[in-house]
Amino acid sequence: MDVFMEYFWAFVIGGAICAVGQVLIDLTKLTPARILVSFVVAGTILGALGWYQPIIDFAGAGATVPLTGFGSLLAKGMREAIDKDGLLGIFTGGFTACSAGVTAAMIFGLIVALIFKRTDRTRQE
Amino acid sequence: MDISKKEYEQTAKKHAGSSKMYITVPKAFLIGGLICCIGEGLLNMYQYFGIEFDEASAYTSITLVFLSALLTGLGLYERIAKHGGAGTLVPITGFANAVVSPALEFKTEGYVLGTGAKMFIIAGPVIVYGITAAFIYGIIYYIYGLCA
Amino acid sequence: MAEFIKDGSIRLTNGVSAYSYAAAVGKMEGEGPLGDCFDYVASGAEIGEDTWEKSESKFQQYALEMALNKSGLQKSDLSIIFAGDLLNQCTGSAYGLRDSGVPFIGLYGACSTMAESLMLASLFADMRLGERFAAITSSHFCSAERQFRFPINYGGVRPPTSQWTATAAGCCITAAAEKPPYIKAVTVGKITDMGIKDANNMGAAMAGAAYDSLSRHFENTCSSPDDYDGIFTGDLGQVGTDILCELFDKRGVDISRVHNDCGLMLYDREKQDVHAGGSGCGCSASVLCAHILPSIAGGKLHRVLFAATGALMSTTMSQQGESIPGISHVVEIADTL
């Protein structure tokens, strides 16, 4: 695929997924936490049904970067863990799949808390 | 009081200003799309170094989480989010912001009961229900595998 | 002696002055339309303190000290302090005033606390239960945000009906009548729940309470909006203001000519990103102490109603799906006895 088109579709699909989130916020008064939960669960379901992989193949990071991609990763990790470990996989698959992102967020969060000082939002224009 | 709840509700509804969706939605599209483009750039870079797609994708997530954590620490993520709306909420950077911001904010209550305990105050439900959804799918997939 | 009229309204008969008043605000409030009126404008939301809560307490201290200094008073001249804020267990006031050595009564009326404390300070002064009484309230954007909503650096989306908690404190000292402004009458608010459940739309939750208290005050004191040259509600914001004016309008009473809302006066909504307007006890407190009272003393206003409104909810009750009860206390202030 042409390099330009690759970025173009990443932009359009990723942007569209975010735009859906914005429409939900504006129309339904869902709180941010509820939006995040809905997107991950929706991604897991789409991933389970095998409908999300084609979007990833088509839009690359445009599909993996939004939280729906995180959800589809959970479904995929679950499948792989069960194929490998059987019953135990049901219990290990989810966390194994999301471990990179969650660990990164946790460790970087801790480092930021150690290094940085809270900012004063009222100073900003 | 001479006003019924019903009349009040109607009056309140009339004056509840709605979001200017013709501004918020395109902004979310633009900023969300840009974050995904940065992701695409990182993904290509890691693949260029000979890393497989799945692994490169994981490194991309880690890098984006790092960038989001840094911007949160500098107090810049929130400024972008003011314009980005869901565009900064829905990408994995939004998840990182949800973890890092309470970690920093509640530092004043100590590293254990503040930072440690409150780190997942916003993002916790995402993990709980994400894992639960995957768990349910896992049971179905496992039983289906037994039957097939 | 203060005289009970009916239905929560009380007339002050011995004469009470708002003797001295001052307001201390944060940087953002200082950049608003009333910026030049405040006695102290901080360079940010923190004043040399390492936590937001301590900063809020310090704003209260500053407001008190400046109100005292303006009239050459000492803390020992105060008989009782009535103070409140938005923090859990009223700690903004308790920690801010713990070294004051003045008898203290902590109050909670959410954003209506300034009217509540001023009402009590005026009634105590009218009954001559002491020499001088202070009414102090404060709020702080950052301490309120982390307690009620999200961490400061979290990029959550704020809906257009949401209001911006003011980083501000106001202090008004009451004493036996000496000079204007004079506190004339008060109407104690009733808890009024109109069934609004949206915690991001406080203006709508509180407008009903303002309507109830104001209309009772008009009726009980045999007055009408035309008798006043200013009716100031606290923190209804744009949404609540529109609702309040329409409720009165439907009953043939026009208050929009003299009505203004502290939440709309504190910020420039065009330039400052505060959505529907300001809120927090410090909002109405600072507008009262830096604008309304000085305007009466300076002869620009003659008879006004100060009706601060509060939402008596908590995040817990809101998450449990309860609707939001509101309250509004009315204080009538004039330039003649």
Side-chain angles (χ1 to χ4, degrees):
Chain A
M1 197 165 32
D2 182 22
V3 176
F4 171 77
M5 288 311 281
E6 187 187 314
Y7 283 91
F8 175 77
W9 287 117
F11 179 81
V12 169
I13 299 296
I17 294 172
C18 295
V20 170
Q22 187 64 45
V23 170
L24 286 175
I25 291 177
D26 288 342
L27 292 184
T28 63
K29 296 195 167 162
L30 281 177
T31 53
R34 291 208 168 97
I35 294 280
L36 294 185
V37 169
S38 325
F39 269 70
V40 168
V41 173
T44 313
I45 296 171
L46 291 176
L49 295 169
W51 295 354
Y52 205 78
Q53 191 58 44
I55 309 177
I56 295 177
D57 294 339
F58 179 65
T64 55
V65 170
L67 279 176
T68 39
F70 191 80
S72 81
L73 192 66
L74 289 174
K76 192 179 168 200
M78 183 59 76
R79 251 190 330 262
E80 286 170 359
I82 293 172
D83 289 342
K84 191 165 150 274
D85 299 327
L87 186 61
L88 187 64
I90 302 176
F91 290 88
T92 58
F95 270 110
T96 309
C98 69
S99 56
V102 174
T103 305
M106 212 165 78
I107 297 301
F108 295 140
L110 206 53
I111 294 172
V112 164
L114 281 169
I115 297 175
F116 287 95
K117 210 178 157 285
R118 69 210 153 69
T119 45
D120 181 351
R121 189 155 135 195
T122 62
R123 274 173 199 269
Q124 298 167 10
E125 308 311 325
Chain B
M1 203 159 77
D2 55 352
I3 298 170
S4 67
K5 279 195 182 180
K6 196 162 181 196
E7 184 199 336
Y8 191 84
E9 195 190 329
Q10 284 163 354
T11 312
K13 208 170 248 171
K14 201 167 103 190
H15 293 291
S18 52
S19 304
K20 292 177 181 143
M21 282 178 70
Y22 58 91
I23 296 175
T24 57
V25 175
K27 265 185 168 178
F29 178 81
L30 197 70
I31 294 179
L34 278 176
I35 294 174
C36 292
C37 273
I38 296 170
E40 187 68 24
L42 290 166
L43 191 64
N44 280 334
M45 187 186 80
Y46 289 123
Q47 283 179 301
Y48 178 77
F49 291 135
I51 303 171
E52 288 289 308
F53 180 87
D54 283 357
E55 245 178 88
S57 181
Y59 279 117
T60 302
S61 294
I62 294 170
T63 315
L64 286 173
V65 166
F66 170 75
L67 291 174
S68 170
L70 189 66
L71 290 175
T72 304
L74 293 169
L76 296 176
Y77 197 83
E78 185 275 323
R79 284 206 220 185
I80 304 168
K82 205 159 78 180
H83 300 287
T88 41
L89 185 75
V90 171
I92 188 129
T93 49
F95 174 79
N97 174 243
V99 175
V100 179
S101 60
L104 182 59
E105 178 66 46
F106 294 102
K107 185 162 97 164
T108 42
E109 281 78 42
Y111 282 108
V112 174
L113 293 177
T115 296
K118 300 217 164 137
M119 190 180 258
F120 286 96
I121 201 163
I122 309 165
V126 175
I127 296 174
V128 170
Y129 292 106
I131 297 286
T132 306
F135 183 83
I136 293 169
Y137 167 58
I139 294 173
I140 298 168
Y141 182 77
Y142 181 73
I143 294 173
Y144 182 79
L146 288 182
C147 301
Chain C
M1 192 67 87
E3 170 191 291
F4 180 73
I5 309 170
K6 64 174 179 181
D7 204 13
S9 293
I10 300 166
R11 198 186 309 281
L12 280 65
T13 49
N14 285 342
V16 174
S17 276
Y19 186 76
S20 189
Y21 30 84
V25 301
K27 177 171 179 277
M28 208 174 133
E29 291 68 23
E31 287 164 355
L34 299 177
D36 297 334
C37 309
F38 300 114
D39 302 270
Y40 174 81
V41 178
S43 59
E46 49 189 348
I47 8 182
E49 296 290 347
D50 55 357
T51 71
W52 304 127
E53 289 74 12
K54 281 188 207 163
S55 300
E56 176 168 351
S57 293
K58 209 158 177 184
F59 274 107
Q60 275 208 11
Q61 282 173 17
Y62 279 23
L64 172 63
E65 274 161 26
M66 279 180 300
L68 290 169
N69 288 343
K70 270 185 170 176
S71 308
L73 296 172
Q74 303 288 318
K75 282 186 184 126
S76 53
D77 294 324
L78 295 175
S79 304
I80 298 173
I81 290 176
F82 298 89
D85 57 88
L86 294 178
L87 296 182
N88 285 338
Q89 284 80 36
C90 265
T91 45
S93 310
Y95 283 73
L97 303 169
R98 66 177 157 183
D99 297 324
S100 65
V102 181
F104 168 80
I105 294 180
L107 302 171
Y108 185 78
C111 306
S112 74
T113 311
M114 191 61 206
E116 188 182 12
S117 56
L118 179 61
M119 179 171 81
L120 288 170
S122 305
L123 289 172
F124 270 65
D126 192 61
M127 292 186 285
R128 306 291 189 256
L129 298 176
E131 281 269 326
R132 292 182 183 85
F133 303 88
I136 314 172
T137 63
S138 66
S139 59
H140 192 291
F141 175 77
C142 300
S143 66
E145 203 63 14
R146 79 203 294 260
Q147 177 178 316
F148 294 107
R149 295 181 194 94
F150 294 113
I152 309 300
N153 289 344
Y154 182 59
V157 191
R158 301 169 70 85
T161 52
S162 70
Q163 291 173 248
W164 185 276
T165 308
T167 304
C171 172
C172 176
I173 295 170
T174 62
E178 198 170 293
K179 57 182 182 181
Y182 302 107
I183 316 292
K184 305 283 286 181
V186 300
T187 294
V188 183
K190 290 179 184 174
I191 302 168
T192 311
D193 193 331
M194 300 313 292
I196 301 290
K197 289 189 175 179
D198 184 359
N200 281 313
N201 193 0
M202 293 294 197
M206 301 187 296
Y211 171 82
D212 175 64
S213 298
L214 284 172
S215 43
R216 274 192 295 132
H217 191 85
F218 293 143
E219 193 193 325
N220 299 345
T221 60
C222 302
S223 62
S224 75
D226 297 333
D227 298 324
Y228 302 93
D229 45 14
I231 295 175
F232 299 94
T233 49
D235 323 342
L236 290 179
Q238 190 60 58
V239 181
T241 298
D242 291 345
I243 296 171
L244 181 69
C245 288
E246 185 178 324
L247 290 175
F248 272 111
D249 198 47
K250 270 189 185 163
R251 277 145 191 87
V253 183
D254 177 27
I255 65 158
S256 59
R257 198 175 49 80
V258 287
H259 174 265
N260 209 338
D261 185 77
C262 298
L264 296 175
M265 298 162 75
L266 188 60
Y267 298 108
D268 182 342
R269 285 173 67 234
E270 297 289 315
K271 291 185 194 132
Q272 295 176 303
D273 185 34
V274 297
H275 297 261
S279 73
C281 349
C283 178
S284 56
S286 58
V287 173
L288 174 77
C289 296
H291 174 70
I292 302 174
L293 292 174
S295 296
I296 300 171
K300 278 182 241 161
L301 291 171
H302 304 289
R303 191 180 176 195
V304 308
L305 293 180
F306 173 65
T309 55
L312 302 175
M313 44 88 75
S314 71
T315 43
T316 309
M317 299 315 291
S318 176
Q319 280 164 6
Q320 288 177 1
E322 278 286 340
S323 55
I324 303 168
I327 195 160
S328 175
H329 304 290
V330 182
V331 180
E332 185 181 326
I333 312 166
D335 64 353
T336 49
L337 261 179

